[in-house]
Amino acid sequence: MERFHLVCRACRKSRKFQLALERCSCGGSFVVEYDLEQVQNTLSKESLLERPSTMWRYWELLPVRDSSNIVSLGEGWTPLVRLHRAEKALSVAKLWVKREEQNPTGSFKSRGFSAAVSIAKEYGVSKVAVNSNGNAASALAAYAAYAGMEAYVFVPQDCPGLIVEECVGYGAHTVLVYGLIHDAGKIIQDGKAEQGWHHVGTLKEPGRAEGKKTMGLELAEQLAWKLPDVIVYPTGGGSGVIGMWNAFRQLKELGMAHGDLPRFVSVQEAGCQPLVDAVQAGRFAEQNSDVTSAPTGMRVPNPPDGDWLLSILRETNGTAVAVSGEEIRNASIHLGKLGISSSPEGAATWAGFCRLREQGWIRPHDEVVLFNTSHAMKYMHWPVKNVPIVKNYADWVTHPRRM
Ligand SMILES: *Cc1c(COP(=O)(O)O)cnc(C)c1O
Ligand SMILES: [Zn+2]
């Protein structure tokens, strides 16, 4: 039996692992499951002590068959920094920030793309494309360049300028798109057959959620295998929530982690808050209008697996919180004074944490982890020059400067 395969969440039908992640015939989404007996032959708390400080220390739980296909720039094993002063000030048992901005491309998207590009390499892919709010685009650009693949990245026209330059710097075909992340996704959908693109958008393929799973594996290991009570995570497409939930589930099945699953808190910026609305309404719906929040990784009005995200928030007794742009700016100043520079998404987790602590939802005995998912510097103001801007696929195909 292969070490990993796909299983439908809804009907439990399993199928062979594959490059693209289509839905099951029943409409359910597939999850990568592992033959845990095989995994246990080599993975243990002790064997981990000898391994490199990258996310590939957990290779048994990542869907790459041949280690020579691993495309790694040194991602993962990021610091987990305890905020002692804030614990006292806000009376909470333990508070950490996971410093994901220290990944090779300045955000945790490095993890997902290290996995996704490795899988793509295993399947002989040469052209990869992604729609993104920025960090996924620059991560794909970097990993594709390292692997010798051609990258095509499509980002909304208000994407932070430095992130656009980062993509250009890695040699990716970089294009701005009028509209939001899903408008950018439509270009790939419309062009992928003709262009031969492998679509690495959120939950279009198995690698990104599996790569992000390593945040959960790593967190457990860094906390000596005792899971925290609460995880506060800035949520957009949601592959991080899905990935970490899988991580904890798999670690518990392996008998490596103990304690209840952490309560997942999804933080979103007011103005694009489909998960917050879903928690309130008790059911998920795409947010199809009035997207007014800033261009950050949280701005995803229609995450592809919203129902699944809602069910994870429920199952773990978690919740979702919307914070305003002003709360995010203040939170960033506050974290700065604690010695932590944060991206808007990371700052949003601080704002969400403070709100839930005030309301008593986070209790004095809780142990809480915040995720600073990206580097503050990537969001500094920077005007983009010489990058084409398009409306749709037809526009892109005929654009004189698209190369
Ligand atoms: C992509 C992104 C997010 C959202 O992550 P998901 O796992 O897709 O929900 C949050 N913060 C930053 C900085 C991002 O780039
Ligand atoms: Zn099914």
Side-chain angles (χ1 to χ4, degrees):
M1 185 161 136
E2 266 220 290
R3 178 161 48 84
F4 48 85
H5 59 283
L6 299 174
V7 176
C8 169
R9 271 185 66 230
C11 72
R12 307 306 299 168
K13 190 172 92 185
S14 58
R15 66 180 295 174
K16 199 174 153 58
F17 183 83
Q18 55 183 32
L19 178 64
L21 200 57
E22 285 146 27
R23 292 209 165 235
C24 176
S25 50
C26 83
S29 25
F30 281 108
V31 200
V32 187
E33 297 286 2
Y34 295 79
D35 174 2
L36 295 180
E37 268 174 40
Q38 233 182 99
V39 165
Q40 244 156 356
N41 290 338
T42 48
L43 181 69
S44 67
K45 295 179 186 177
E46 295 68 38
S47 68
L48 281 169
L49 300 175
E50 312 277 310
R51 297 196 181 177
S53 319
T54 76
M55 71 176 213
W56 294 97
R57 62 197 281 105
Y58 310 108
W59 65 266
E60 289 95 337
L61 293 172
L62 291 167
V64 174
R65 297 185 179 97
D66 178 346
S67 62
S68 70
N69 289 323
I70 292 175
V71 181
S72 173
L73 292 167
E75 53 295 317
W77 206 253
T78 57
L80 185 62
V81 176
R82 184 117 173 235
L83 301 178
H84 294 281
R85 288 205 293 127
E87 286 168 4
K88 285 214 186 73
L90 292 156
S91 0
V92 66
K94 288 181 182 169
L95 181 64
W96 294 272
V97 57
K98 182 83 170 131
R99 305 209 63 178
E100 286 294 300
E101 84 279 8
Q102 298 189 23
N103 274 299
T105 62
S107 86
F108 67 166
K109 291 289 197 301
S110 297
R111 296 177 187 264
F113 285 93
S114 178
V117 173
S118 299
I119 296 166
K121 188 174 170 196
E122 196 146 75
Y123 282 81
V125 167
S126 60
K127 286 185 185 179
V128 284
V130 81
N131 58 317
S132 159
N133 279 323
N135 288 317
S138 69
L140 177 65
Y143 284 86
Y146 190 62
M149 295 175 195
E150 252 185 287
Y152 294 78
V153 306
F154 298 88
V155 299
Q157 86 278 2
D158 60 353
C159 175
L162 282 166
I163 306 183
V164 179
E165 296 295 342
E166 200 189 344
C167 298
V168 173
Y170 287 124
H173 302 273
T174 307
V175 175
L176 306 178
V177 179
Y178 291 107
L180 295 168
I181 186 166
H182 52 274
D183 300 303
K186 180 144 193 319
I187 297 184
I188 304 178
Q189 212 61 45
D190 290 347
K192 70 178 194 179
E194 194 167 270
Q195 302 295 331
W197 290 327
H198 169 48
H199 194 340
V200 207
T202 301
L203 301 167
K204 293 283 182 203
E205 56 71 57
R208 289 182 54 191
E210 288 301 290
K212 277 194 178 165
K213 185 173 81 179
T214 62
M215 294 189 292
L217 302 174
E218 200 172 293
L219 198 56
E221 190 179 0
Q222 288 176 320
L223 294 174
W225 307 105
K226 185 191 170 293
L227 302 179
D229 298 303
V230 179
I231 286 181
V232 188
Y233 184 85
T235 309
S239 59
V241 168
I242 291 171
M244 284 196 277
W245 175 79
N246 273 322
F248 299 140
R249 207 168 50 82
Q250 286 165 6
L251 286 177
K252 290 191 71 160
E253 273 183 57
L254 285 163
M256 290 175 74
H258 50 97
D260 291 334
L261 288 198
R263 284 133 66 202
F264 278 90
V265 176
S266 280
V267 179
Q268 304 200 293
E269 183 177 343
C272 183
Q273 49 181 76
L275 282 169
V276 180
D277 294 346
V279 166
Q280 261 155 30
R283 58 179 284 276
F284 175 78
E286 296 180 348
Q287 181 180 333
N288 283 320
S289 57
D290 300 329
V291 173
T292 54
S293 64
T296 73
M298 296 177 287
R299 194 180 68 183
V300 181
N302 38 19
D305 256 314
D307 294 317
W308 191 0
L309 293 171
L310 178 61
S311 78
I312 291 174
L313 298 183
R314 278 187 175 159
E315 178 195 316
T316 65
N317 296 312
T319 190
V321 194
V323 296
S324 68
E326 196 190 344
E327 277 175 287
I328 291 175
R329 283 185 292 279
N330 290 335
S332 160
I333 294 168
H334 206 112
L335 275 172
K337 289 181 178 166
L338 292 171
I340 306 294
S341 79
S342 57
S343 70
E345 299 88 347
T349 66
W350 172 267
F353 162 73
C354 290
R355 173 100 60 81
L356 293 173
R357 180 66 199 95
E358 243 163 60
Q359 293 172 350
W361 190 92
I362 289 177
R363 298 173 298 238
H365 59 263
D366 279 334
E367 302 186 0
V368 182
V369 178
L370 311 178
F371 271 84
N372 185 45
T373 46
S374 179
H375 209 291
M377 240 78 103
K378 299 180 91 171
Y379 297 78
M380 306 257 153
H381 180 70
W382 185 269
V384 176
K385 288 188 224 92
N386 298 323
V387 174
I389 175 161
V390 304
K391 286 198 284 288
N392 52 36
Y393 180 61
D395 208 10
W396 179 81
V397 167
T398 54
H399 201 289
R401 286 190 293 114
R402 74 181 157 102
M403 296 303 167

